[in-house]
Amino acid sequence: RIAAVKTIIAQEMSLSLLSSAPVGFAAPLPAVRPVAQPRPLTMSAADGMEGAAHETGFTTWDPLGLADLGSPATLAFFRHAELKHCRVAMAAFTGWLVAVSGVHFPGLCSFSEGISFEDISQLTPMEQWGAVPALGKAQILLAIGIIEHQSEWKIKPHYMAAGGKPGDLKGLKSFWDPIGLTSKMDAKKLERQRLSEIKNGRLAMIGIVSVLIANNMPGAIPLPIAFPAGPSLVLPF
């Protein structure tokens, strides 16, 4: 009986050794690295719009993704607003240069109050607006309002509708191009001029803000220019 037990124990030990041998001498398996999944390409709604040039590597610069906030009509509104601000900023910066140069119209600005253009030219740019009589300010703002109204309601199709073009004022022919300069340009020339307008307008927005705050924020513009003193902002009336 003891011999039978020893035989059984010997058989079990042999089986255990045989079963464990492959594990002890198995070659290590190579590490399997996870395969990186290709990231889906994301397209911005602003891709292909005019305005991408050397400054942005010919790509749309929109780090906050504002172009994708709404519908195509929303994007058209953004572009129309940008072009409006560009045009106003270019006019404002040119006006600022004229104001600080002392160039002015002859005669009186207000006959009733006896204020001449020469008197106004002696002031800083923002003070010049403050010196304009209230009726003169009202006339300027009314003219701006009429142009804005006509550009929003007269030009069809609307720039936010299908077929509309943001920034297009061709419907206001006597205001937009009274001497017909654009009628003599081919499609390539017009495309270049539109790009120039956007680029110059963006620079003008930075420029007009810079000259307005330069005197009140020392060192904001590191140029040896004596910027005129005065407030950066004034009330309309």
Side-chain angles (χ1 to χ4, degrees):
R1 188 176 295 178
I2 296 175
V5 172
K6 290 182 178 181
T7 302
I8 294 171
I9 294 174
Q11 291 176 351
E12 291 179 353
M13 291 178 65
S14 298
L15 291 173
S16 63
L17 289 174
L18 290 173
S19 62
S20 62
V23 177
F25 296 96
L29 295 175
V32 179
R33 297 182 178 179
V35 178
Q37 297 295 327
R39 300 178 66 179
L41 295 176
T42 56
M43 302 294 289
S44 171
D47 288 342
M49 293 185 69
E50 292 179 336
H54 301 79
E55 300 81 6
T56 59
F58 294 97
T59 59
T60 302
W61 188 79
D62 186 18
L64 299 180
L66 299 179
D68 302 312
L69 288 180
S71 64
T74 305
L75 183 59
F77 172 82
F78 286 159
R79 171 45 60 93
H80 193 75
E82 180 187 25
L83 288 170
K84 279 186 180 181
H85 284 84
C86 285
R87 292 163 181 170
V88 170
M90 287 188 284
F93 192 80
T94 303
W96 188 89
L97 293 177
V98 172
V100 297
S101 68
V103 177
H104 59 83
F105 290 111
L108 295 176
C109 175
S110 173
F111 292 94
S112 60
E113 300 186 25
I115 300 175
S116 68
F117 287 107
E118 183 177 3
D119 295 334
I120 295 177
S121 68
Q122 306 301 318
L123 305 173
T124 62
M126 301 304 285
E127 291 173 341
Q128 289 183 18
W129 173 258
V132 175
L135 183 58
K137 294 178 182 178
Q139 292 173 356
I140 294 173
L141 295 177
L142 178 62
I144 295 173
I146 292 174
I147 296 172
E148 180 72 7
H149 177 272
Q150 293 295 93
S151 67
E152 289 288 338
W153 297 103
K154 184 176 180 179
I155 299 177
K156 304 296 182 182
H158 193 267
Y159 59 86
M160 293 176 64
K165 292 185 65 175
D168 188 0
L169 297 178
K170 291 181 180 178
L172 307 178
K173 295 181 180 180
S174 59
F175 172 78
W176 169 246
D177 189 11
I179 59 177
L181 290 176
T182 57
S183 62
K184 304 174 184 178
M185 300 179 184
D186 56 21
K188 188 174 181 179
K189 179 67 173 180
L190 285 172
E191 182 181 0
R192 177 176 174 80
Q193 293 300 101
R194 289 194 301 268
L195 178 60
S196 298
E197 179 187 33
I198 294 175
K199 294 173 70 173
N200 286 311
R202 290 169 177 171
L203 183 60
M205 286 190 282
I206 298 174
I208 189 61
V209 172
S210 300
V211 296
L212 290 177
I213 67 172
N215 189 71
N216 296 322
M217 295 182 65
I221 302 179
L223 294 175
I225 300 176
F227 290 95
S232 299
L233 297 173
V234 294
L235 296 176
F237 290 94

